[in-house]
Amino acid sequence: MPPSWSQLGLHVIAKPTGPICNLRCAYCFYLEKESLYGRGETWRMPDETLEAYVRQYFEAQPAAIEEIDFAFQGGEPTLLGIDFFRRVLDLQKKHAPASVRVHNSLQTNGVLLDDRWCEFLREHDFLVGLSIDGPINLHDEYRRDKQGRGTFQHVTDAMRRLFRHGVEFNALTCVNRHNAEHPGRVYRFLRDSGIEFMQFIPIVERLAAAPSAADAPSAMPEDLVSERSVRPRQYGRFLIEVFDEWIRHDVGRVFVRDFDQALGAWTGVGASLCVYTKHCGRATAIEHNGDLYSCDHFVDPAHKLGNIHETPIRELANSPRQEQFGLDKEAGLPEVCRRCRYLFFCNGACPKDRFVHAADGQPGLNYLCEGYKMFCEHVDPHMKAMAEELAAGRPAANVMHRLRAEGQRAREEAAAAGPVRRNAPCPCGSGRKFKSCCMRR
């Protein structure tokens, strides 16, 4: 039998400085959360709240859990200073059960990461998520400071320090309407910078003034989102082009979160990221004052579960209300999703983006559905091939070697037949034009 709701592992993302940040990234969804609290708010998690969070987070885990991850986001958590996180470590030592291994992660824009910060992060094995959106002209389009200046130099300086100090980190790249036009440039920039772990987060900003699904079932998806939001097909093309570069050159060397999740689905293991799981609700968010919310994408009055000073995390996270929130992800799927051959992978994707009507008029379709479907159709044969390799006890990278050998043969055959025109399909079989693929190499 599958485990009950309360037996599932629980993740609580901490926002210890709320939405306060030293940057003003144009697409940041969390800055507006400042309006949830009154003027004069002290945007720093008090020590009594921090200790209650740490202690209750341990207590809320099922008995079978052997590892627990503490994730600190914002806003910008480094604004709290190193001493705040030294206190976190002290409290973890105080309250952690002897059988549980503790991991810490920190999502940051990198602006404050000097040598002292990097030494601390390395000493205590923090996993760092560094926000970077590609080369300078792509990164600086939306990631700017309070004076409107680009932040690329700050971020790349932080990246070099992290490398120099041996801090484990990954890149978190927001895919927006601007950088989504340059998937190859984004991926190669990250890879050639030495980054081995990448996360691509689609920017989808639903307009507050957009008509609701009930009022405008025929509205075009792009009429419902901001001009910064990635378009559905654009997102699909972005993932496909990155995948094509990765599958031919970097399997086993570079790890892209969406591709790892897809391989898990195609092998039958299933996805681990809440975006792609059948149900959600086991990744909650705690604000600086102890308010617990259903998810960090649903930090609003309707999804406030309570405050941990009044009700412990275990009760709030395992409440019927939160369980229903998690089950609603599957229950709200339109019929077109239930019939889709790729439901096993995306499961309707994130509920926050399910505000479009399907062709038959049913609500609840994910805004990015068309892009996800493009991606799935493209990677399906490759995922099946990698799954077969793994099932046979062989490395998935064998698929890469086979594709490269096939591409080399195709190039040799094309060369023997005469010059390949710039705009002709690339002989390697990537599906792109020759000028955009092997001609560059």
Side-chain angles (χ1 to χ4, degrees):
M1 289 183 61
S4 66
W5 176 259
S6 62
Q7 292 175 324
L8 297 171
L10 175 68
H11 190 49
V12 181
I13 299 171
K15 309 277 190 175
T17 187
I20 302 305
C21 187
N22 49 354
L23 300 187
R24 284 296 179 269
C25 301
Y27 51 62
C28 181
F29 74 97
Y30 214 77
L31 290 174
E32 66 183 29
K33 305 306 178 184
E34 192 170 347
S35 62
L36 291 173
Y37 300 93
R39 290 186 177 182
E41 183 76 11
T42 301
W43 296 103
R44 182 185 180 91
M45 184 175 280
D47 190 71
E48 60 270 22
T49 303
L50 178 62
E51 181 159 15
Y53 158 59
V54 172
R55 174 175 52 79
Q56 292 183 27
Y57 191 17
F58 284 121
E59 294 171 349
Q61 299 298 327
I65 293 297
E66 298 177 347
E67 298 185 7
I68 183 170
D69 296 302
F70 283 80
F72 298 92
Q73 299 185 9
E76 176 50 45
T78 60
L79 289 170
L80 294 167
I82 292 175
D83 287 344
F84 177 88
F85 291 95
R86 292 193 190 281
R87 178 60 175 157
V88 168
L89 296 171
D90 290 341
L91 291 170
Q92 289 172 346
K93 291 177 183 176
K94 178 180 178 181
H95 295 290
S99 60
V100 173
R101 294 188 298 276
V102 178
H103 305 283
N104 288 288
S105 63
L106 184 76
Q107 183 63 44
T108 177
N109 57 43
V111 171
L112 298 179
L113 291 187
D114 56 14
D115 288 327
R116 184 166 169 263
W117 259 110
C118 291
E119 289 167 2
F120 169 80
L121 295 169
R122 177 64 185 91
E123 179 185 356
H124 298 287
D125 294 322
F126 272 70
L127 171 63
V128 174
L130 183 67
S131 298
I132 183 166
D133 287 355
I136 184 168
N137 63 321
L138 302 181
H139 175 91
D140 282 350
E141 180 73 12
Y142 296 126
R143 295 193 64 81
R144 297 178 175 269
D145 63 17
K146 293 180 180 180
Q147 287 73 45
R149 298 171 300 200
T151 61
F152 179 81
Q153 193 60 55
H154 291 295
V155 178
T156 50
D157 286 346
M159 179 173 64
R160 284 189 286 271
R161 289 193 189 95
L162 291 168
F163 276 128
R164 188 166 65 247
H165 288 277
V167 179
E168 186 179 355
F169 76 100
N170 58 50
L172 188 153
T173 300
C174 292
V175 182
N176 51 68
R177 196 167 297 185
H178 182 62
N179 67 358
E181 287 297 297
H182 309 278
R185 287 185 59 207
V186 171
Y187 176 74
R188 286 188 290 271
F189 167 78
L190 298 174
R191 180 196 63 194
D192 296 347
S193 295
I195 293 171
E196 297 177 348
F197 297 89
M198 305 176 190
Q199 302 177 48
F200 295 113
I201 309 296
I203 294 298
V204 179
E205 299 176 305
R206 187 178 181 187
L207 294 174
S212 68
D215 295 334
S218 61
M220 295 296 292
E222 291 173 25
D223 295 334
L224 307 176
V225 299
S226 73
E227 62 182 12
R228 294 183 293 266
S229 299
V230 64
R231 298 181 178 95
R233 291 186 63 82
Q234 186 186 37
Y235 186 58
R237 289 193 299 270
F238 179 91
L239 290 177
I240 287 169
E241 188 167 329
V242 171
F243 181 85
D244 283 347
E245 181 80 12
W246 175 81
I247 193 67
R248 285 173 170 79
H249 303 284
D250 301 313
V251 179
R253 185 170 71 91
V254 175
F255 301 88
V256 180
R257 188 176 67 171
D258 292 281
F259 305 163
D260 290 343
Q261 294 294 312
L263 186 56
W266 260 265
T267 57
V269 174
S272 58
L273 183 66
C274 60
V275 171
Y276 299 122
T277 55
K278 182 180 291 188
H279 304 128
C280 56
R282 300 305 286 177
T284 58
I286 189 169
E287 258 290 345
H288 66 294
N289 67 341
D291 287 344
L292 192 72
Y293 292 87
S294 293
C295 169
D296 75 323
H297 285 289
F298 288 88
V299 175
D300 55 51
H303 294 91
K304 178 181 172 182
L305 299 172
N307 188 284
I308 67 170
H309 290 297
E310 300 168 359
T311 309
I313 291 174
R314 176 186 292 166
E315 291 185 30
L316 295 173
N318 294 328
S319 65
R321 177 184 171 193
Q322 179 64 1
E323 182 175 5
Q324 190 60 53
F325 172 83
L327 295 175
D328 283 346
K329 181 179 181 181
E330 181 186 20
L333 286 171
E335 189 60 32
V336 67
C337 289
R338 299 180 189 278
R339 297 195 307 265
C340 179
R341 61 180 292 206
Y342 299 117
L343 179 63
F344 74 95
F345 165 57
C346 80
N347 283 297
C350 186
K352 79 176 181 67
D353 298 331
R354 284 160 54 170
F355 52 79
V356 175
H357 273 74
D360 62 2
Q362 275 196 299
L365 186 67
N366 195 292
Y367 165 80
L368 292 171
C369 174
E370 190 175 9
Y372 283 125
K373 189 173 291 186
M374 289 170 58
F375 170 72
C376 289
E377 289 175 348
H378 183 81
V379 305
D380 181 60
H382 303 297
M383 288 294 170
K384 288 176 178 175
M386 286 193 285
E388 289 175 3
E389 292 296 316
L390 292 172
R394 298 186 295 264
N398 282 355
V399 173
M400 174 182 68
H401 302 318
R402 187 159 60 245
L403 285 171
R404 290 168 71 174
E406 292 171 357
Q408 180 62 30
R409 285 196 299 272
R411 284 190 292 272
E412 291 171 355
E413 292 171 1
V420 181
R421 295 188 178 186
R422 289 170 52 85
N423 291 312
C426 188
C428 78
S430 68
R432 298 198 297 275
K433 292 180 180 179
F434 178 56
K435 68 181 181 182
S436 301
C437 192
C438 289
M439 180 178 171
R440 292 184 307 205
R441 293 194 285 269

